[in-house]
Every structure is written in structure tokens, then in C-alpha cells.
Amino acid sequence: LTELGVGRSMVLDGTASPDCPSFSVRMKTACSTVVAAAGPSQASKPVLIVISAFYAQADPDGARAIVSWCKQQKFEKAGKVRPTIALAASAEWCCGIPVVQELAQKADFLFANQPEIEELARQLRSAGKIREDAKFSAKDGGAVDHDLASEEAVIDIARWKPHGWVIATRGSKSVAFLKSGSSEQATLVPVPRLPPDEFVDDVGAGDSFMGGFLVTAWQTMTERAGLSEDPPACKSLLETVYTCCTSRQHREPILLDKDELATALQEDPAGTLLSAADIEAACLAGITTAGACLRCVGCQFPKV
């Protein structure tokens, strides 16, 4: 969908250039193709769109168009959620680019590794977008404690984001995550130790983590949203789904009525349908898939 650069053939409102269908038409066609391949049971399930900061910096108009299209999708049916957006920070140098920062704020899932999350926070502090009073404890010799720095970065970025989740992988130590708007500390999910003799190659480990995470999160969102055309499932959704995103002053889960739920699913689907326990489970799935990747030869550098 994006390999040729949608920004080169359209403007942000989806208006088509003379030689290219509108982005909305292309997106619907792509989704229909996926649904046709998967079968009728997939027709009403959530759409998850993953954007790389590498792509965003190369085609900023196209990346903005994707996010704009997702945010504009509205559904009358209870339990239907708008397309969910995941952004991979991709590289430290991407974190200072305005369009990447813009997408990081709007994404439902923001993924970054430890250097990337620290650099994004540094860039946002420099721009005056988040607090400047972060205090990092120093190790012997005055070096920055990157464990603490990355945790503070997750907290500050989560407070800056209006919705969704921030997820930061921290190598062999842990995965840190936090919901947007939260006043809590980041949750740390430990990474099991990998025996040195089992390590082969770390190429693709970050993508593997994100894949495992998103599949698990998507499955949970699908189940919660009751998108199987099963009326009891939709009724159960309306009775049991809760969220804190509409009232950040409340720390306890709050029950939503039908209208409130529809609004929440439009504004913050990931924050509405997924709890901290769900994100932790998704992190564990991502750690498992990343661990499998570490035990394999990287696809970019196959052995001859």
C-alpha cells in the first residue's frame, strides 16, 4: 500500500490525483483483499495498521494521510472500532523528525527500544513538549543511568500522548510500558535470560517482538469488541468493557454505557479494550517471538 509513497499521489484529505485512486479507495481495496483471503469470519474484525518511522520520514504526507484516514473512520454498529495505529520508532535519528513526533503522539501503540525512547524524550524536552525537570541518577563516574532514563522517558511520553500505550524494549533486561495519561510508574516485564550458546543473531528481534505483541493484542481486542456478529457477545461488551481514558481522575475502572463506549472506541480503542494485564500478556508474547528470532540466523544475513 505504501511502498510507492501514497503522499506522492494524493493530498491529506484523500483527494485523488488524476492518475491514482484516492487513498481511501486504496485502503478499502487493501482491507477487502485481506478479508477475502481470510474468509467471511474476518470481515468485521479490527484493522491494525503498522507504520515505520523510516517510512514516515521518507513520505510524511503519506504517513499523515494514513493516520487521518484511520481517525476519520466512524461506525454506527456497537463494538466496531476504528483502525488501530502502531508506530515503530525505527531509529534514534528518526526521533527528531517532526512528522515522527506527530505520529508518535497520535499512534495507539508506540514502540521504541531503549535508545530510541530516550532520544524521543530528549527531543521532546528540547522542543518544550514535555517536562524538562527529569532527573536521571548517575552511576559511578557520572554516567547516565539508562535504565532509569528510559523509565522516565516512558512516563513522560505517556503523559504527553492523549491516548494509547507506550511500549519500550530494553534489551535483555525488561520491557517497559505505560498507558497514556497515567500518573503511575511504568510497568516492567522481565526478559528471561538467554543462554549465550543459544544466541545466534539479533537481526529482526525488535520486529519479531512487535509482531508477537500486536497479534496478541489484536486477538484480545477482537474478543472484547464482540465482532463475531454474535449479539450476546456485543451485549457482554456493553456490560463489561471499562476504561479510564474518559476520566483520568478516576483510578478505578468505570463502566461505560453504549454511547460512551462508541466514543471511547473511536477515540482510544487500544486504551479502552486493553488493560495493563492485557498489555503485559502481549509483552510476554513479544518476548517469546523475539527470543525465537534471537535463536535463528537473521533474514538479512543468511548463512551461505
mmCIF file of all heavy atoms in Angstrom, residues 192-237:
data_model
loop_
_atom_site.group_PDB
_atom_site.id
_atom_site.type_symbol
_atom_site.label_atom_id
_atom_site.label_comp_id
_atom_site.label_asym_id
_atom_site.label_seq_id
_atom_site.Cartn_x
_atom_site.Cartn_y
_atom_site.Cartn_z
ATOM 1 N N PRO A 192 13.412 -13.152 30.152
ATOM 2 C CA PRO A 192 14.183 -14.322 30.601
ATOM 3 C C PRO A 192 15.591 -14.315 30.013
ATOM 4 O O PRO A 192 15.806 -13.867 28.883
ATOM 5 C CB PRO A 192 13.365 -15.510 30.062
ATOM 6 C CG PRO A 192 11.994 -14.954 29.843
ATOM 7 C CD PRO A 192 12.172 -13.528 29.443
ATOM 8 N N ARG A 193 16.514 -14.822 30.775
ATOM 9 C CA ARG A 193 17.900 -14.867 30.334
ATOM 10 C C ARG A 193 18.053 -15.850 29.184
ATOM 11 O O ARG A 193 17.523 -16.961 29.219
ATOM 12 C CB ARG A 193 18.812 -15.288 31.490
ATOM 13 C CG ARG A 193 20.284 -15.384 31.116
ATOM 14 C CD ARG A 193 21.112 -15.799 32.319
ATOM 15 N NE ARG A 193 22.512 -15.965 31.961
ATOM 16 C CZ ARG A 193 23.038 -17.079 31.458
ATOM 17 N NH1 ARG A 193 22.252 -18.152 31.276
ATOM 18 N NH2 ARG A 193 24.316 -17.159 31.156
ATOM 19 N N LEU A 194 18.769 -15.434 28.154
ATOM 20 C CA LEU A 194 19.050 -16.298 27.016
ATOM 21 C C LEU A 194 20.455 -16.863 27.173
ATOM 22 O O LEU A 194 21.428 -16.097 27.218
ATOM 23 C CB LEU A 194 18.964 -15.511 25.708
ATOM 24 C CG LEU A 194 19.254 -16.296 24.423
ATOM 25 C CD1 LEU A 194 18.133 -17.292 24.155
ATOM 26 C CD2 LEU A 194 19.421 -15.349 23.241
ATOM 27 N N PRO A 195 20.605 -18.170 27.285
ATOM 28 C CA PRO A 195 21.950 -18.757 27.407
ATOM 29 C C PRO A 195 22.825 -18.334 26.229
ATOM 30 O O PRO A 195 22.369 -18.351 25.077
ATOM 31 C CB PRO A 195 21.678 -20.262 27.386
ATOM 32 C CG PRO A 195 20.263 -20.391 27.866
ATOM 33 C CD PRO A 195 19.544 -19.189 27.330
ATOM 34 N N PRO A 196 24.056 -17.940 26.490
ATOM 35 C CA PRO A 196 24.934 -17.473 25.409
ATOM 36 C C PRO A 196 25.079 -18.454 24.260
ATOM 37 O O PRO A 196 25.192 -18.048 23.099
ATOM 38 C CB PRO A 196 26.277 -17.266 26.132
ATOM 39 C CG PRO A 196 25.895 -16.994 27.553
ATOM 40 C CD PRO A 196 24.695 -17.852 27.818
ATOM 41 N N ASP A 197 25.062 -19.757 24.569
ATOM 42 C CA ASP A 197 25.251 -20.722 23.492
ATOM 43 C C ASP A 197 24.016 -20.872 22.605
ATOM 44 O O ASP A 197 24.080 -21.517 21.558
ATOM 45 C CB ASP A 197 25.639 -22.090 24.072
ATOM 46 C CG ASP A 197 24.589 -22.651 25.022
ATOM 47 O OD1 ASP A 197 23.725 -21.880 25.485
ATOM 48 O OD2 ASP A 197 24.629 -23.863 25.291
ATOM 49 N N GLU A 198 22.879 -20.252 22.993
ATOM 50 C CA GLU A 198 21.677 -20.301 22.169
ATOM 51 C C GLU A 198 21.527 -19.066 21.291
ATOM 52 O O GLU A 198 20.712 -19.047 20.375
ATOM 53 C CB GLU A 198 20.432 -20.449 23.055
ATOM 54 C CG GLU A 198 20.362 -21.777 23.799
ATOM 55 C CD GLU A 198 19.076 -21.937 24.577
ATOM 56 O OE1 GLU A 198 18.105 -21.195 24.265
ATOM 57 O OE2 GLU A 198 19.026 -22.782 25.483
ATOM 58 N N PHE A 199 22.303 -18.027 21.570
ATOM 59 C CA PHE A 199 22.202 -16.807 20.779
ATOM 60 C C PHE A 199 22.854 -17.010 19.417
ATOM 61 O O PHE A 199 23.973 -17.494 19.311
ATOM 62 C CB PHE A 199 22.877 -15.641 21.504
ATOM 63 C CG PHE A 199 22.925 -14.382 20.674
ATOM 64 C CD1 PHE A 199 21.824 -13.562 20.573
ATOM 65 C CD2 PHE A 199 24.075 -14.053 19.972
ATOM 66 C CE1 PHE A 199 21.858 -12.414 19.798
ATOM 67 C CE2 PHE A 199 24.125 -12.903 19.193
ATOM 68 C CZ PHE A 199 23.007 -12.079 19.108
ATOM 69 N N VAL A 200 22.111 -16.606 18.361
ATOM 70 C CA VAL A 200 22.631 -16.725 17.000
ATOM 71 C C VAL A 200 22.741 -15.361 16.337
ATOM 72 O O VAL A 200 23.795 -14.978 15.842
ATOM 73 C CB VAL A 200 21.736 -17.659 16.144
ATOM 74 C CG1 VAL A 200 22.260 -17.729 14.714
ATOM 75 C CG2 VAL A 200 21.670 -19.050 16.765
ATOM 76 N N ASP A 201 21.633 -14.590 16.330
ATOM 77 C CA ASP A 201 21.599 -13.338 15.584
ATOM 78 C C ASP A 201 20.446 -12.496 16.117
ATOM 79 O O ASP A 201 19.361 -13.016 16.362
ATOM 80 C CB ASP A 201 21.383 -13.638 14.097
ATOM 81 C CG ASP A 201 21.687 -12.447 13.200
ATOM 82 O OD1 ASP A 201 21.627 -11.315 13.710
ATOM 83 O OD2 ASP A 201 21.957 -12.652 12.011
ATOM 84 N N ASP A 202 20.668 -11.193 16.285
ATOM 85 C CA ASP A 202 19.596 -10.344 16.795
ATOM 86 C C ASP A 202 18.904 -9.527 15.711
ATOM 87 O O ASP A 202 18.053 -8.679 15.999
ATOM 88 C CB ASP A 202 20.112 -9.410 17.893
ATOM 89 C CG ASP A 202 21.183 -8.449 17.394
ATOM 90 O OD1 ASP A 202 21.539 -8.530 16.206
ATOM 91 O OD2 ASP A 202 21.664 -7.630 18.209
ATOM 92 N N VAL A 203 19.240 -9.769 14.447
ATOM 93 C CA VAL A 203 18.565 -9.061 13.358
ATOM 94 C C VAL A 203 17.078 -9.431 13.341
ATOM 95 O O VAL A 203 16.731 -10.618 13.300
ATOM 96 C CB VAL A 203 19.211 -9.398 11.999
ATOM 97 C CG1 VAL A 203 18.376 -8.799 10.852
ATOM 98 C CG2 VAL A 203 20.627 -8.865 11.939
ATOM 99 N N GLY A 204 16.227 -8.442 13.400
ATOM 100 C CA GLY A 204 14.781 -8.681 13.361
ATOM 101 C C GLY A 204 14.141 -8.928 14.704
ATOM 102 O O GLY A 204 12.925 -9.134 14.769
ATOM 103 N N ALA A 205 14.911 -8.872 15.791
ATOM 104 C CA ALA A 205 14.333 -9.167 17.107
ATOM 105 C C ALA A 205 13.272 -8.137 17.496
ATOM 106 O O ALA A 205 12.223 -8.485 18.050
ATOM 107 C CB ALA A 205 15.429 -9.230 18.163
ATOM 108 N N GLY A 206 13.534 -6.875 17.193
ATOM 109 C CA GLY A 206 12.553 -5.840 17.526
ATOM 110 C C GLY A 206 11.259 -6.002 16.750
ATOM 111 O O GLY A 206 10.161 -5.877 17.303
ATOM 112 N N ASP A 207 11.376 -6.292 15.459
ATOM 113 C CA ASP A 207 10.180 -6.523 14.647
ATOM 114 C C ASP A 207 9.444 -7.771 15.115
ATOM 115 O O ASP A 207 8.209 -7.826 15.097
ATOM 116 C CB ASP A 207 10.555 -6.662 13.175
ATOM 117 C CG ASP A 207 11.025 -5.344 12.572
ATOM 118 O OD1 ASP A 207 10.680 -4.291 13.131
ATOM 119 O OD2 ASP A 207 11.735 -5.376 11.564
ATOM 120 N N SER A 208 10.202 -8.785 15.512
ATOM 121 C CA SER A 208 9.576 -10.018 15.998
ATOM 122 C C SER A 208 8.810 -9.752 17.284
ATOM 123 O O SER A 208 7.703 -10.267 17.486
ATOM 124 C CB SER A 208 10.639 -11.094 16.236
ATOM 125 O OG SER A 208 11.280 -11.445 15.034
ATOM 126 N N PHE A 209 9.399 -8.939 18.167
ATOM 127 C CA PHE A 209 8.688 -8.573 19.397
ATOM 128 C C PHE A 209 7.382 -7.863 19.056
ATOM 129 O O PHE A 209 6.321 -8.200 19.586
ATOM 130 C CB PHE A 209 9.546 -7.662 20.274
ATOM 131 C CG PHE A 209 8.786 -7.074 21.436
ATOM 132 C CD1 PHE A 209 8.657 -7.777 22.615
ATOM 133 C CD2 PHE A 209 8.159 -5.838 21.328
ATOM 134 C CE1 PHE A 209 7.922 -7.261 23.675
ATOM 135 C CE2 PHE A 209 7.423 -5.310 22.376
ATOM 136 C CZ PHE A 209 7.304 -6.021 23.557
ATOM 137 N N MET A 210 7.455 -6.888 18.182
ATOM 138 C CA MET A 210 6.274 -6.121 17.832
ATOM 139 C C MET A 210 5.213 -7.017 17.198
ATOM 140 O O MET A 210 4.010 -6.870 17.476
ATOM 141 C CB MET A 210 6.648 -4.976 16.889
ATOM 142 C CG MET A 210 5.518 -4.014 16.603
ATOM 143 S SD MET A 210 6.054 -2.474 15.829
ATOM 144 C CE MET A 210 6.789 -3.100 14.318
ATOM 145 N N GLY A 211 5.623 -7.959 16.356
ATOM 146 C CA GLY A 211 4.671 -8.868 15.727
ATOM 147 C C GLY A 211 3.950 -9.728 16.743
ATOM 148 O O GLY A 211 2.717 -9.851 16.715
ATOM 149 N N GLY A 212 4.708 -10.331 17.655
ATOM 150 C CA GLY A 212 4.094 -11.160 18.689
ATOM 151 C C GLY A 212 3.171 -10.357 19.590
ATOM 152 O O GLY A 212 2.080 -10.808 19.969
ATOM 153 N N PHE A 213 3.617 -9.163 19.936
ATOM 154 C CA PHE A 213 2.808 -8.273 20.780
ATOM 155 C C PHE A 213 1.491 -7.931 20.092
ATOM 156 O O PHE A 213 0.411 -8.059 20.679
ATOM 157 C CB PHE A 213 3.600 -7.001 21.073
ATOM 158 C CG PHE A 213 2.859 -5.982 21.903
ATOM 159 C CD1 PHE A 213 3.147 -5.835 23.244
ATOM 160 C CD2 PHE A 213 1.875 -5.158 21.343
ATOM 161 C CE1 PHE A 213 2.473 -4.895 24.018
ATOM 162 C CE2 PHE A 213 1.195 -4.228 22.098
ATOM 163 C CZ PHE A 213 1.495 -4.095 23.448
ATOM 164 N N LEU A 214 1.569 -7.481 18.834
ATOM 165 C CA LEU A 214 0.376 -6.983 18.155
ATOM 166 C C LEU A 214 -0.628 -8.086 17.846
ATOM 167 O O LEU A 214 -1.839 -7.867 17.909
ATOM 168 C CB LEU A 214 0.769 -6.244 16.874
ATOM 169 C CG LEU A 214 1.470 -4.897 17.089
ATOM 170 C CD1 LEU A 214 1.938 -4.309 15.763
ATOM 171 C CD2 LEU A 214 0.551 -3.915 17.814
ATOM 172 N N VAL A 215 -0.137 -9.275 17.512
ATOM 173 C CA VAL A 215 -1.062 -10.385 17.278
ATOM 174 C C VAL A 215 -1.859 -10.679 18.543
ATOM 175 O O VAL A 215 -3.077 -10.854 18.511
ATOM 176 C CB VAL A 215 -0.299 -11.643 16.813
ATOM 177 C CG1 VAL A 215 -1.199 -12.871 16.896
ATOM 178 C CG2 VAL A 215 0.201 -11.467 15.392
ATOM 179 N N THR A 216 -1.166 -10.710 19.677
ATOM 180 C CA THR A 216 -1.836 -10.995 20.946
ATOM 181 C C THR A 216 -2.809 -9.882 21.315
ATOM 182 O O THR A 216 -3.949 -10.148 21.726
ATOM 183 C CB THR A 216 -0.789 -11.172 22.056
ATOM 184 O OG1 THR A 216 0.103 -12.223 21.697
ATOM 185 C CG2 THR A 216 -1.447 -11.521 23.381
ATOM 186 N N ALA A 217 -2.379 -8.637 21.167
ATOM 187 C CA ALA A 217 -3.258 -7.505 21.480
ATOM 188 C C ALA A 217 -4.472 -7.495 20.559
ATOM 189 O O ALA A 217 -5.607 -7.244 20.999
ATOM 190 C CB ALA A 217 -2.484 -6.192 21.360
ATOM 191 N N TRP A 218 -4.241 -7.766 19.272
ATOM 192 C CA TRP A 218 -5.338 -7.771 18.301
ATOM 193 C C TRP A 218 -6.357 -8.855 18.638
ATOM 194 O O TRP A 218 -7.568 -8.638 18.555
ATOM 195 C CB TRP A 218 -4.781 -7.985 16.901
ATOM 196 C CG TRP A 218 -5.827 -8.044 15.827
ATOM 197 C CD1 TRP A 218 -6.414 -6.997 15.186
ATOM 198 C CD2 TRP A 218 -6.423 -9.223 15.271
ATOM 199 N NE1 TRP A 218 -7.336 -7.441 14.264
ATOM 200 C CE2 TRP A 218 -7.364 -8.815 14.300
ATOM 201 C CE3 TRP A 218 -6.251 -10.587 15.508
ATOM 202 C CZ2 TRP A 218 -8.119 -9.712 13.569
ATOM 203 C CZ3 TRP A 218 -7.019 -11.485 14.779
ATOM 204 C CH2 TRP A 218 -7.936 -11.049 13.817
ATOM 205 N N GLN A 219 -5.878 -10.037 19.016
ATOM 206 C CA GLN A 219 -6.796 -11.116 19.370
ATOM 207 C C GLN A 219 -7.660 -10.723 20.561
ATOM 208 O O GLN A 219 -8.871 -10.986 20.592
ATOM 209 C CB GLN A 219 -6.005 -12.392 19.667
ATOM 210 C CG GLN A 219 -5.379 -13.016 18.431
ATOM 211 C CD GLN A 219 -4.438 -14.161 18.761
ATOM 212 O OE1 GLN A 219 -3.900 -14.241 19.875
ATOM 213 N NE2 GLN A 219 -4.218 -15.031 17.806
ATOM 214 N N THR A 220 -7.047 -10.078 21.556
ATOM 215 C CA THR A 220 -7.796 -9.652 22.732
ATOM 216 C C THR A 220 -8.796 -8.560 22.378
ATOM 217 O O THR A 220 -9.950 -8.581 22.826
ATOM 218 C CB THR A 220 -6.840 -9.140 23.822
ATOM 219 O OG1 THR A 220 -5.898 -10.168 24.142
ATOM 220 C CG2 THR A 220 -7.597 -8.756 25.089
ATOM 221 N N MET A 221 -8.375 -7.594 21.574
ATOM 222 C CA MET A 221 -9.288 -6.529 21.163
ATOM 223 C C MET A 221 -10.472 -7.088 20.387
ATOM 224 O O MET A 221 -11.617 -6.661 20.571
ATOM 225 C CB MET A 221 -8.543 -5.500 20.320
ATOM 226 C CG MET A 221 -7.522 -4.688 21.094
ATOM 227 S SD MET A 221 -6.593 -3.534 20.044
ATOM 228 C CE MET A 221 -7.888 -2.362 19.618
ATOM 229 N N THR A 222 -10.195 -8.053 19.512
ATOM 230 C CA THR A 222 -11.262 -8.667 18.728
ATOM 231 C C THR A 222 -12.277 -9.364 19.629
ATOM 232 O O THR A 222 -13.489 -9.224 19.481
ATOM 233 C CB THR A 222 -10.672 -9.682 17.730
ATOM 234 O OG1 THR A 222 -9.793 -8.995 16.834
ATOM 235 C CG2 THR A 222 -11.765 -10.370 16.937
ATOM 236 N N GLU A 223 -11.759 -10.112 20.596
ATOM 237 C CA GLU A 223 -12.645 -10.820 21.524
ATOM 238 C C GLU A 223 -13.461 -9.838 22.352
ATOM 239 O O GLU A 223 -14.679 -10.012 22.527
ATOM 240 C CB GLU A 223 -11.803 -11.707 22.444
ATOM 241 C CG GLU A 223 -12.624 -12.482 23.458
ATOM 242 C CD GLU A 223 -11.758 -13.325 24.368
ATOM 243 O OE1 GLU A 223 -10.531 -13.365 24.155
ATOM 244 O OE2 GLU A 223 -12.305 -13.924 25.306
ATOM 245 N N ARG A 224 -12.818 -8.798 22.849
ATOM 246 C CA ARG A 224 -13.509 -7.831 23.689
ATOM 247 C C ARG A 224 -14.561 -7.055 22.911
ATOM 248 O O ARG A 224 -15.594 -6.675 23.433
ATOM 249 C CB ARG A 224 -12.500 -6.842 24.278
ATOM 250 C CG ARG A 224 -11.525 -7.465 25.244
ATOM 251 C CD ARG A 224 -12.068 -7.447 26.669
ATOM 252 N NE ARG A 224 -11.253 -8.300 27.518
ATOM 253 C CZ ARG A 224 -10.073 -7.945 28.015
ATOM 254 N NH1 ARG A 224 -9.576 -6.765 27.729
ATOM 255 N NH2 ARG A 224 -9.392 -8.772 28.770
ATOM 256 N N ALA A 225 -14.245 -6.754 21.673
ATOM 257 C CA ALA A 225 -15.180 -5.945 20.893
ATOM 258 C C ALA A 225 -16.391 -6.728 20.426
ATOM 259 O O ALA A 225 -17.338 -6.162 19.893
ATOM 260 C CB ALA A 225 -14.460 -5.337 19.686
ATOM 261 N N GLY A 226 -16.378 -8.047 20.611
ATOM 262 C CA GLY A 226 -17.545 -8.840 20.235
ATOM 263 C C GLY A 226 -17.865 -8.720 18.761
ATOM 264 O O GLY A 226 -19.026 -8.552 18.377
ATOM 265 N N LEU A 227 -16.813 -8.812 17.917
ATOM 266 C CA LEU A 227 -17.017 -8.562 16.495
ATOM 267 C C LEU A 227 -17.323 -9.829 15.700
ATOM 268 O O LEU A 227 -17.082 -9.898 14.515
ATOM 269 C CB LEU A 227 -15.781 -7.877 15.915
ATOM 270 C CG LEU A 227 -15.501 -6.501 16.519
ATOM 271 C CD1 LEU A 227 -14.227 -5.928 15.954
ATOM 272 C CD2 LEU A 227 -16.666 -5.567 16.240
ATOM 273 N N SER A 228 -17.833 -10.823 16.348
ATOM 274 C CA SER A 228 -18.152 -12.073 15.656
ATOM 275 C C SER A 228 -19.599 -12.110 15.171
ATOM 276 O O SER A 228 -20.116 -13.170 14.822
ATOM 277 C CB SER A 228 -17.899 -13.251 16.600
ATOM 278 O OG SER A 228 -18.751 -13.149 17.726
ATOM 279 N N GLU A 229 -20.259 -10.925 15.177
ATOM 280 C CA GLU A 229 -21.676 -10.834 14.797
ATOM 281 C C GLU A 229 -22.559 -11.609 15.770
ATOM 282 O O GLU A 229 -23.694 -11.978 15.449
ATOM 283 C CB GLU A 229 -21.904 -11.369 13.366
ATOM 284 C CG GLU A 229 -21.034 -10.736 12.310
ATOM 285 C CD GLU A 229 -21.358 -9.261 12.096
ATOM 286 O OE1 GLU A 229 -22.471 -8.845 12.460
ATOM 287 O OE2 GLU A 229 -20.492 -8.554 11.581
ATOM 288 N N ASP A 230 -22.048 -11.836 16.970
ATOM 289 C CA ASP A 230 -22.792 -12.585 17.968
ATOM 290 C C ASP A 230 -23.457 -11.594 18.931
ATOM 291 O O ASP A 230 -22.763 -10.949 19.727
ATOM 292 C CB ASP A 230 -21.838 -13.504 18.724
ATOM 293 C CG ASP A 230 -22.547 -14.343 19.771
ATOM 294 O OD1 ASP A 230 -23.775 -14.261 19.850
ATOM 295 O OD2 ASP A 230 -21.854 -15.068 20.508
ATOM 296 N N PRO A 231 -24.771 -11.413 18.890
ATOM 297 C CA PRO A 231 -25.436 -10.431 19.751
ATOM 298 C C PRO A 231 -25.107 -10.579 21.240
ATOM 299 O O PRO A 231 -24.865 -9.575 21.909
ATOM 300 C CB PRO A 231 -26.924 -10.664 19.471
ATOM 301 C CG PRO A 231 -26.948 -11.227 18.085
ATOM 302 C CD PRO A 231 -25.708 -12.083 17.985
ATOM 303 N N PRO A 232 -25.071 -11.810 21.791
ATOM 304 C CA PRO A 232 -24.692 -11.918 23.206
ATOM 305 C C PRO A 232 -23.296 -11.374 23.479
ATOM 306 O O PRO A 232 -23.040 -10.787 24.528
ATOM 307 C CB PRO A 232 -24.769 -13.428 23.465
ATOM 308 C CG PRO A 232 -25.741 -13.929 22.461
ATOM 309 C CD PRO A 232 -25.488 -13.115 21.233
ATOM 310 N N ALA A 233 -22.399 -11.560 22.512
ATOM 311 C CA ALA A 233 -21.048 -11.046 22.711
ATOM 312 C C ALA A 233 -21.044 -9.525 22.750
ATOM 313 O O ALA A 233 -20.361 -8.910 23.566
ATOM 314 C CB ALA A 233 -20.130 -11.541 21.592
ATOM 315 N N CYS A 234 -21.820 -8.907 21.852
ATOM 316 C CA CYS A 234 -21.906 -7.446 21.856
ATOM 317 C C CYS A 234 -22.560 -6.943 23.138
ATOM 318 O O CYS A 234 -22.146 -5.939 23.702
ATOM 319 C CB CYS A 234 -22.691 -6.962 20.641
ATOM 320 S SG CYS A 234 -21.825 -7.176 19.080
ATOM 321 N N LYS A 235 -23.578 -7.641 23.601
ATOM 322 C CA LYS A 235 -24.237 -7.249 24.842
ATOM 323 C C LYS A 235 -23.259 -7.357 26.004
ATOM 324 O O LYS A 235 -23.187 -6.492 26.878
ATOM 325 C CB LYS A 235 -25.456 -8.146 25.101
ATOM 326 C CG LYS A 235 -26.243 -7.776 26.354
ATOM 327 C CD LYS A 235 -27.490 -8.622 26.466
ATOM 328 C CE LYS A 235 -28.333 -8.189 27.654
ATOM 329 N NZ LYS A 235 -27.653 -8.441 28.930
ATOM 330 N N SER A 236 -22.479 -8.434 25.992
ATOM 331 C CA SER A 236 -21.488 -8.608 27.042
ATOM 332 C C SER A 236 -20.463 -7.488 27.017
ATOM 333 O O SER A 236 -20.018 -7.003 28.054
ATOM 334 C CB SER A 236 -20.787 -9.963 26.872
ATOM 335 O OG SER A 236 -19.749 -10.115 27.814
ATOM 336 N N LEU A 237 -20.122 -7.052 25.813
ATOM 337 C CA LEU A 237 -19.169 -5.955 25.682
ATOM 338 C C LEU A 237 -19.703 -4.706 26.374
ATOM 339 O O LEU A 237 -19.012 -4.073 27.168
ATOM 340 C CB LEU A 237 -18.929 -5.662 24.206
ATOM 341 C CG LEU A 237 -18.138 -4.382 23.899
ATOM 342 C CD1 LEU A 237 -16.686 -4.566 24.282
ATOM 343 C CD2 LEU A 237 -18.267 -4.028 22.435
#
